[in-house]
């Protein structure tokens, strides 16, 4: 069976606005983490998901997460298949470990090894944790002037 998409993350510049929009649109309930850098929702009949604070995003668009049985083996396959490892391994608040990879076109996909039976995630290879690649931030667009106003001239 093909690996399912089990989680999706989107960037958000304003968690309050995001909560209001998706609450009104779909009835989604959200919950922020203690550091206010991430806000999640749980899908009843679908994948879970959440929003990453826009200044912390790893990709200019949504990041789908795919469930895998063995994170280390999956990462070995990524480079052999022509992809790139963006973030090698990190703990996932929902349990287990995740990594971020890019396909040959630069699309970022998360791979998630869920917590194993008994509450423990499989230990990552020591070398894998030590070699986390730096993450490039997407370029930000210049702010648009308010309607009816001209941008200020530079001196």
């Amino acid at each position: 069976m093909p690996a399912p998409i089990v989680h999706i993350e989107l960037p958000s510049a304003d968690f309050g606005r995001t909560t209001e929009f998706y609450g009104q649109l779909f009835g989604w309930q959200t919950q922020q983490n203690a550091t206010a850098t991430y806000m999640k929702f749980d899908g009843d009949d679908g994948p879970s998901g959440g929003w990453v604070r826009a200044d912390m995003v790893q990709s200019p668009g949504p990041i789908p997460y795919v469930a895998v049985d063995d994170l280390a083996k999956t990462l070995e396959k990524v480079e052999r298949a022509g992809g790139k490892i963006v973030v090698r391994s990190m703990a996932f608040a929902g349990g287990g470990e995740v990594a971020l990879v890019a396909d040959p076109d630069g699309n970022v996909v998360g791979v998630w090894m869920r917590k194993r039976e008994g509450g423990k995630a499989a230990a990552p290879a020591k070398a894998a944790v030590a070699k986390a690649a730096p993450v490039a931030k997407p370029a930000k667009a210049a702010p648009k002037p308010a309607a009816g106003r001209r941008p200020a001239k530079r001196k």
Side-chain angles (χ1 to χ4, degrees):
M1 179 169 96
I5 293 175
V6 294
H7 185 81
I8 188 159
E9 289 181 350
L10 304 142
S12 172
D14 182 331
F15 284 167
R17 179 182 63 205
T18 298
T19 296
E20 187 173 326
F21 176 81
Y22 286 100
Q24 288 180 18
L25 190 62
F26 301 125
W28 291 357
Q29 299 294 312
T30 61
Q31 180 182 1
Q32 279 189 46
N33 70 358
T35 61
T37 58
Y38 190 81
M39 182 173 67
K40 70 175 188 165
F41 73 89
D42 289 316
D44 289 341
D45 294 328
S48 62
W51 294 268
V52 177
R53 204 172 69 203
D55 62 333
M56 299 182 70
V57 298
Q58 309 285 325
S59 170
I63 300 177
Y65 282 78
V66 177
V68 298
D69 292 328
D70 187 322
L71 190 60
K73 283 184 181 179
T74 301
L75 294 178
E76 288 173 10
K77 290 179 183 179
V78 168
E79 291 178 323
R80 282 197 315 259
K84 177 181 168 190
I85 298 169
V86 178
V87 175
R88 193 163 288 276
S89 177
M90 61 186 161
F92 187 72
E97 286 181 77
V98 297
L100 297 175
V101 301
D103 70 14
D105 291 313
N107 298 302
V108 177
V109 176
V111 287
W112 178 14
M113 184 176 71
R114 292 186 179 185
K115 197 180 297 186
R116 300 269 190 216
E117 294 295 322
K120 291 186 178 180
K126 289 182 182 178
V129 175
K131 293 183 182 177
V135 177
K137 300 245 184 220
K140 293 190 178 192
K144 294 181 182 178
R149 296 181 64 188
R150 295 182 184 181
K153 291 184 180 180
R154 294 182 185 220
K155 294 183 180 181

